[in-house]
Amino acid sequence: MKKNVIIGFVILGILIVSMSLIPVLFKNKLTQKIKLEINKNINAKVEFSDIELSLFRSFPQLNITLNNFAINGVANFDQIPLLNIESLYTSVNLSSLWNNSDFQITSLKFINPIINLKVSKEGISNWTIFKTQTQSTSSSEKKPNNINLESIKITNGSLSYKSEESPIDFSFTKGNFDLSGALKGTNSTLKIDGEADSINFQYNGSKYISQLKAKFTGGLKSDFDQMSFTLLQNELLINKLPLSLSGTFHLGEKADDYDLVFKSPASSLRDLLGLVPLQYQEKLKDVESSGAISFEGFVKGSYQESTIPGFGLDLKVSDGRLKYPKLPKNLDKIDLIASLTKPQGAMDLMKIELKKFNISVADNIISGSLNIITPVSNPELEGAINGKMNLGALKQALPMDSIDVSGNIEGYVKFKGQYASIEKGEYEKFKTEGKISLADFAFSNKKLPQKLEISTAHIEINPKAITLTNLSGKLGESDFTANGNLSNYWMYILRDGILNGIITLNSNYLNLNQLIPNSSPKDSIPTGKPFEVPEKFNISMQAKVNKILYDKITILNTSGEIKVQERRVLLNNLKMNMLNGTILVAGAYSTPKGALPNFDFKLGITNFDLPTAYQSSGTIRHFLPIANQSTGTFNTGMSLNGSIGIGNTPIFKTVNGTGNISTRNIELIGAGLFTDISKYFKKGMFTQVKINDFDANFKIVDGGLVISPFNTKIAGQDVTISGKQSVSMDLDYIINFKVSKSSLSDEVNGYIGFVPGAENIDKYPIGILLTGTFDKPIIKVELTEAKNLVEKEFKKKAGSVIQDAIKKFGLDKLFK
C-alpha cells in the first residue's frame, strides 16, 4: 500500500514537472508557429510584446497569452491601428506543440481591446486584412478546420467605426461581452450577454444617438454553414427602458440581410423615462407619472457597400402627466406622435415626423410639429411651435432651486422649405414667419452676476432675418436698450454656419464692477478664467454708453464699433473719456482654441491724469510705479500685444509693443530716489520736483520697458534720461544732469569757488546711475565727468598757484 502511494506521488510529481517544463521547452517553437499562422492568413502588421504559456489554466488544453497584441494597417491605412489588446488569452489543442497540424482554438478572451474601424472615401475598409484562399494555400490543399470555439469573452472593450464614404460615425466604450456555446458545425445554440456604455451614432455630422447605455441578454440559434442566425428570448435594456428583440439575420459574402423587430413590453410613461440619460435619472426618481405609451421599431433589408437596410421607429404618448414632489402644479396633457422611417437604400431616404406634440406646463399650453425629409442631401423641413407662458408659474411645476424667473412670453414660429434655398440665398422660397413678445421678464441665478430684467422686447422672424425691436432692460444697476437683426440663422442652426448680425446698443449707465467678478479693488487676487469669445459669430455692434464704472475708473461718452468674429472681439475706433482725458482704441482680443487668449491693440491717449491713472490702472502701476508720487498729465500713442491670464489681466512677460509719450506739468512729490543725490544740491530742491514737458519714445520687450534717450529739465536742471526696466521691475537707468552753480549745495560751491578757473564753469555734469527696484532703489552718483571738467580749467592756470590752492583748501580730496 505504501509503495503504491509513493508511486502515485512520483507520477504526480512527474506530471507537474512535465506540465511546467512543456511550455518552457516549446515556447520558441510555438511563438514561430503563431507568427507563421498570422502571416499565412493576414495582410497587416501584427505585434505582441510577450507570450506566456500554461497548462495549469485550461488543462488539458494549452493556454496561450499574448500581451500588448496589436494589428496595424498597411497600404492606405499605414500607421493606423486596427486593434490593440492589453492581453489576449486563448486555449488550443496540446498536440499543436509537436506536430504540424493547425491550432484547434477552443476559447478566446480579450482584456481591454480597442477596435478602430475605418472606411475610406473610396469604400476601402481597414479590416479587410485576411488573405484569400489562393493567397494562403494552393488550390489543391484542403485547409483543415481550425475553429472549435466554445466561448468568447471581451472585458472593457471599446469600438470606433468611422466611414468617410457614408459618412457614418459610431462608437461605444466599456463594452463587456460573453458568448458561450459550440461555434462550429450547424444548428448551434449560443448564450449571449453583453453591455456597453456611451453609445454614439452620427451621420453626416448630425447626432442621432448620444451617450446611451445598452445591455443585452439572450440566446442565438445559429447555422454556421449558412451563416444564418435567429434571436431567442432576448431582452435589450437601453438606459433603463426594456425592449424585446426578435428576428433573424444572415451574414453573406457580399451582403448582410436583416429582419429584426423590437418593441417595449412596458406601456407607461414611467418606462419611457428610462430613455433619459443616466446622469439625469436621479432627478426623476420621485416624480409621479401616468400615461400610456407605445414604442416599437424594425430593421429589415440588406446591408451592402451602397445600401443600408430599412428601419423604423414609432413612439406614441397619450394623456401623459408628470408631477414633481412638493410642487403644486403638473406637467400634463402630454400627447406625442413621432416616427422615424427609412426604406431600403441610402440614409437620405429617411423621414422624421413629429406629427403631434402638446404639453401643459402649470396650465400654460405649448404645441408643435416637425417633418424632415431628405435629411442628408437637401433637408426639407416643415414645422411649427406656438404657445403662451406665464414664466412665474414654471417654478410651480418644475424644480428651479437655483433659478428665479418671472414674466410673460407669447409667440409662434412656422417654417417650410428646402435647405438649398437658404444656401442659395433664395430666402423667399423658405417660408418662415414668427412673432415673439416678452414683457416684465426677470431672471436670476447663481451664475449670473446680477438680476436681468427686460421690460419689453419684440422679435419678428422672416426667412432672411430675426429682427429685434424695442428691447429695454436692466442688469443690476446697468440699463440698456437694443435693436438689430440676425441673419443667416438657418445656416447657423442646421449646418453649423456663421451667424451674422447688426445690433445697436445704447446705455445711460453700465456698472462693470457688478458684471465682471474680477473688476475688484487692486489688492484683491483675481481668480476668474478669461472671457472666451464664441465661434461661428459675425456680429457687429454699434455701442453708445454715457457712463461706465470700471474698478475706480469713471468712463464717459463711450462710442464706437465692436465686432464679434470667429472667437475674436474687434474694436474699431472705440472712443471714450476717462482719467480726465480721452482714449481711442483699435485692435483685437482673441481666444483661439487650445491657446491662451491674446490681445493686439493700438491706443491713442490724450491728457490722462497721471496719479488718477496710477490708482485706476494695473498696467500703469506695472510700468510707471513712480506715478504714485506725481501730478500732471500725459499723452501717449502705443501698440501693445500679449497674452491674457487668470483674472483677465495681462501676462506681462508676454507683452510687447512700441510707443511714445509726452508729458505736461509733471511734478514728483517726496520721490525717494532723489534722497541720495539731494546733498549735492540746494536744500529742498528735490522735495517737490518739477519735470519740464518732454517727448520720449519707448519699447516694451517681454514685459520690460526700454526708454530711448530724451532731454528735459528736472528741478530746473538740464537732464538726459535713458535706460530700461525688466518685467520683474529691475531698474537700469542713467540720468545725466547739467547742474548750474546756483543749484549746487553751499558746501560744494564753497570748495569750487576757490578753485582757480572755476569761475569759467557755468554748469557741472553729474551722472546718476539708478539700479535696484522702485521699492528699493540703488543710486550711485557719478562725478567723473565733473572732475575732468574742473581739472581742464585748472590746467589753464599757473601750475604752482593751482597746486598751492589745492593743498590749502583740501580740494585734492574733493574729487577723489
Side-chain angles (χ1 to χ4, degrees):
M1 179 67 178
K2 183 176 181 181
K3 181 179 180 181
N4 292 335
V5 172
I6 293 173
I7 293 173
F9 275 112
V10 170
I11 294 173
L12 179 61
I14 293 172
L15 180 61
I16 292 173
V17 170
S18 300
M19 291 176 67
S20 302
L21 289 177
I22 285 175
V24 176
L25 296 175
F26 287 92
K27 181 175 182 178
N28 290 335
K29 179 179 180 180
L30 194 58
T31 301
Q32 293 175 358
K33 195 167 187 178
I34 290 173
K35 291 182 177 180
L36 180 64
E37 287 290 326
I38 291 173
N39 291 327
K40 193 164 63 175
N41 292 281
I42 292 178
N43 279 320
K45 297 177 183 177
V46 180
E47 300 174 353
F48 51 88
S49 64
D50 185 34
I51 182 172
E52 299 176 12
L53 307 178
S54 174
L55 279 169
F56 292 100
R57 291 179 182 171
S58 54
F59 187 79
Q61 299 289 311
L62 174 66
N63 183 271
I64 304 173
T65 302
L66 301 179
N67 294 315
N68 300 313
F69 183 83
I71 300 178
N72 292 301
V74 295
N76 294 340
F77 301 100
D78 189 30
Q79 303 301 319
I80 297 178
L82 169 62
L83 176 64
N84 282 292
I85 306 174
E86 183 178 308
S87 297
L88 168 59
Y89 299 89
T90 181
S91 298
V92 302
N93 52 313
L94 187 59
S95 61
S96 61
L97 290 174
W98 50 75
N99 61 38
N100 293 325
S101 64
D102 286 344
F103 291 112
Q104 295 292 318
I105 300 173
T106 57
S107 68
L108 288 170
K109 184 178 180 181
F110 304 87
I111 305 297
N112 297 329
I114 300 174
I115 305 170
N116 184 27
L117 306 179
K118 288 185 177 295
V119 180
S120 68
K121 292 180 180 179
E122 297 78 21
I124 302 172
S125 59
N126 70 333
W127 65 86
T128 310
I129 60 174
F130 293 98
K131 295 180 179 179
T132 62
Q133 185 73 12
T134 55
Q135 286 179 303
S136 57
T137 60
S138 65
S139 58
S140 60
E141 291 180 356
K142 182 179 179 182
K143 185 174 179 63
N145 178 25
N146 65 348
I147 296 180
N148 190 22
L149 279 171
E150 296 177 355
S151 69
I152 298 175
K153 188 169 185 177
I154 296 173
T155 301
N156 194 31
S158 298
L159 181 142
S160 171
Y161 171 86
K162 188 169 185 178
S163 172
E164 296 179 351
E165 181 189 30
S166 301
I168 294 174
D169 196 336
F170 173 81
S171 66
F172 68 77
T173 59
K174 296 182 182 178
N176 295 288
F177 181 82
D178 196 344
L179 184 149
S180 59
L183 275 76
K184 66 176 182 177
T186 60
N187 300 324
S188 297
T189 299
L190 307 175
K191 182 183 178 182
I192 304 173
D193 291 295
E195 62 180 352
D197 282 351
S198 189
I199 301 172
N200 301 277
F201 177 75
Q202 184 172 300
Y203 188 86
N204 199 32
S206 298
K207 290 184 179 179
Y208 294 96
I209 298 175
S210 178
Q211 302 294 315
L212 281 182
K213 182 175 182 178
K215 186 175 182 180
F216 178 85
T217 302
L220 187 70
K221 184 177 181 181
S222 59
D223 183 339
F224 289 104
D225 287 345
Q226 300 297 323
M227 292 303 288
S228 180
F229 305 90
T230 302
L231 294 169
L232 304 172
Q233 297 177 343
N234 294 285
E235 181 179 296
L236 176 64
L237 195 66
I238 300 179
N239 285 346
K240 291 187 177 182
L241 176 68
L243 297 172
S244 63
L245 183 63
S246 61
T248 63
F249 60 95
H250 172 263
L251 306 180
E253 292 185 5
K254 296 183 178 180
D256 302 330
D257 296 314
Y258 298 87
D259 188 0
L260 303 173
V261 175
F262 63 88
K263 66 182 299 183
S264 174
S267 59
S268 70
L269 184 58
R270 165 57 63 182
D271 298 298
L272 184 62
L273 294 178
L275 274 178
V276 173
L278 297 180
Q279 60 264 39
Y280 302 114
Q281 287 285 342
E282 182 66 24
K283 296 181 180 180
L284 298 173
K285 182 175 63 175
D286 297 321
V287 174
E288 298 177 14
S289 64
S290 61
I293 71 160
S294 171
F295 185 74
E296 58 188 18
F298 70 91
V299 178
K300 185 177 179 64
S302 176
Y303 176 78
Q304 303 177 43
E305 289 186 358
S306 59
T307 184
I308 298 173
F311 57 81
L313 186 150
D314 288 294
L315 171 63
K316 295 180 181 179
V317 179
S318 301
D319 199 23
R321 171 183 168 272
L322 298 173
K323 185 179 184 304
Y324 282 85
K326 300 180 181 180
L327 294 180
K329 297 286 187 178
N330 302 324
L331 302 172
D332 57 9
K333 299 179 183 178
I334 303 173
D335 293 306
L336 183 146
I337 301 176
S339 65
L340 184 152
T341 57
K342 187 196 77 67
Q344 177 73 42
M347 287 291 288
D348 204 29
L349 299 173
M350 183 169 58
K351 184 177 182 180
I352 302 168
E353 289 185 284
L354 178 59
K355 297 179 181 178
K356 180 182 180 182
F357 174 71
N358 294 321
I359 186 171
S360 173
V361 182
D363 302 321
N364 294 270
I365 303 295
I366 300 173
S367 61
S369 63
L370 175 66
N371 292 323
I372 304 175
I373 61 174
T374 60
V376 178
S377 62
N378 179 22
E380 185 171 337
L381 305 98
E382 181 178 3
I385 185 169
N386 61 80
K388 183 177 181 180
M389 178 72 66
N390 178 353
L391 298 173
L394 284 177
K395 55 189 175 185
Q396 296 182 334
L398 292 169
M400 303 172 70
D401 297 335
S402 61
I403 295 175
D404 190 10
V405 63
S406 62
N408 294 285
I409 184 171
E410 181 178 1
Y412 74 94
V413 178
K414 296 179 180 179
F415 54 88
K416 181 179 181 181
Q418 294 182 330
Y419 175 74
S421 302
I422 301 294
E423 287 186 312
K424 296 175 182 177
E426 299 172 346
Y427 299 107
E428 68 281 356
K429 293 183 179 180
F430 196 96
K431 297 178 181 179
T432 307
E433 63 173 301
K435 289 185 178 182
I436 302 172
S437 62
L438 194 62
D440 301 323
F441 175 81
F443 178 86
S444 62
N445 74 351
K446 294 179 180 179
K447 295 183 178 180
L448 197 65
Q450 296 292 323
K451 183 178 182 180
L452 173 63
E453 299 175 280
I454 297 177
S455 55
T456 59
H458 298 284
I459 296 173
E460 291 193 10
I461 303 173
N462 61 47
K464 189 174 183 179
I466 299 173
T467 302
L468 171 67
T469 58
N470 299 325
L471 172 62
S472 177
K474 295 183 69 176
L475 190 56
E477 295 178 357
S478 304
D479 64 84
F480 57 89
T481 61
N483 296 280
N485 66 75
L486 301 174
S487 59
N488 202 45
Y489 66 93
W490 277 120
M491 286 278 284
Y492 178 76
I493 294 171
L494 298 178
R495 282 287 192 264
D496 200 25
I498 296 175
L499 182 66
N500 300 318
I502 298 175
I503 297 173
T504 301
L505 175 67
N506 293 287
S507 174
N508 288 316
Y509 176 61
L510 288 182
N511 185 345
L512 296 183
N513 293 335
Q514 291 185 335
L515 307 182
I516 304 175
N518 295 304
S519 61
S520 49
K522 62 186 180 73
D523 294 330
S524 66
I525 300 174
T527 58
K529 293 182 179 179
F531 167 69
E532 187 169 335
V533 184
E535 59 183 347
K536 303 298 182 182
F537 273 28
N538 182 16
I539 309 294
S540 177
M541 182 169 60
Q542 293 290 336
K544 185 176 181 180
V545 184
N546 293 333
K547 182 179 178 180
I548 299 174
L549 180 63
Y550 176 66
D551 200 351
K552 297 179 181 180
I553 306 174
T554 298
I555 305 170
L556 302 175
N557 303 321
T558 301
S559 63
E561 182 182 37
I562 303 171
K563 287 187 176 181
V564 180
Q565 289 184 340
E566 288 292 325
R567 305 182 70 88
R568 296 188 302 161
V569 175
L570 306 177
L571 305 180
N572 185 17
N573 294 323
L574 189 66
K575 185 178 180 181
M576 61 191 76
N577 298 326
M578 57 187 291
L579 305 178
N580 298 325
T582 302
I583 182 170
L584 189 66
V585 185
Y589 168 79
S590 304
T591 57
K593 283 185 177 179
L596 287 172
N598 61 78
F599 62 91
D600 188 352
F601 290 134
K602 291 183 178 180
L603 296 93
I605 297 174
T606 307
N607 295 327
F608 261 30
D609 180 67
L610 197 53
T612 307
Y614 176 87
Q615 295 296 329
S616 305
S617 170
T619 302
I620 297 295
R621 289 195 293 272
H622 175 80
F623 288 112
L624 293 174
I626 198 172
N628 188 37
Q629 300 167 307
S630 67
T631 64
T633 64
F634 70 93
N635 304 324
T636 183
M638 70 177 78
S639 298
L640 286 176
N641 62 78
S643 298
I644 297 291
I646 297 298
N648 290 303
T649 58
I651 301 175
F652 284 108
K653 66 181 180 181
T654 70
V655 177
N656 293 277
T658 59
N660 60 76
I661 184 171
S662 62
T663 65
R664 298 292 180 269
N665 304 317
I666 299 295
E667 289 190 9
L668 300 179
I669 302 171
L673 64 88
F674 290 111
T675 301
D676 287 350
I677 65 171
S678 61
K679 62 185 178 182
Y680 295 95
F681 297 86
K682 277 186 176 181
K683 187 175 182 181
M685 187 172 169
F686 289 100
T687 303
Q688 185 168 341
V689 182
K690 178 176 174 57
I691 301 177
N692 281 27
D693 300 344
F694 65 83
D695 295 307
N697 296 319
F698 63 85
K699 291 182 180 180
I700 297 174
V701 180
D702 298 332
L705 182 65
V706 180
I707 304 288
S708 300
F710 69 92
N711 300 318
T712 185
K713 287 188 176 184
I714 296 179
Q717 309 304 307
D718 292 326
V719 66
T720 300
I721 301 175
S722 63
K724 62 184 178 180
Q725 62 194 53
S726 70
V727 67
S728 58
M729 303 309 295
D730 295 321
L731 307 179
D732 186 9
Y733 283 102
I734 301 174
I735 306 173
N736 288 320
F737 279 95
K738 294 285 187 179
V739 184
S740 61
K741 289 180 182 179
S742 61
S743 298
L744 291 171
S745 67
D746 292 340
E747 183 181 4
V748 174
N749 268 320
Y751 283 126
I752 294 176
F754 290 97
V755 178
E759 67 275 8
N760 297 325
I761 302 174
D762 294 324
K763 293 185 177 181
Y764 291 91
I766 298 178
I768 306 295
L769 304 180
L770 177 61
T771 58
T773 66
F774 278 109
D775 290 336
K776 295 182 179 181
I778 300 173
I779 296 172
K780 180 180 180 182
V781 179
E782 175 59 59
L783 298 174
T784 301
E785 194 174 342
K787 175 183 176 181
N788 293 337
L789 180 61
V790 171
E791 288 180 349
K792 183 178 179 181
E793 292 300 324
F794 285 172
K795 291 177 182 179
K796 295 178 182 180
K797 302 294 182 179
S800 59
V801 175
I802 293 174
Q803 293 301 321
D804 292 341
I806 290 175
K807 292 179 180 179
K808 180 178 180 181
F809 297 107
L811 296 177
D812 56 337
K813 300 178 181 180
L814 177 61
F815 294 108
K816 286 186 178 180

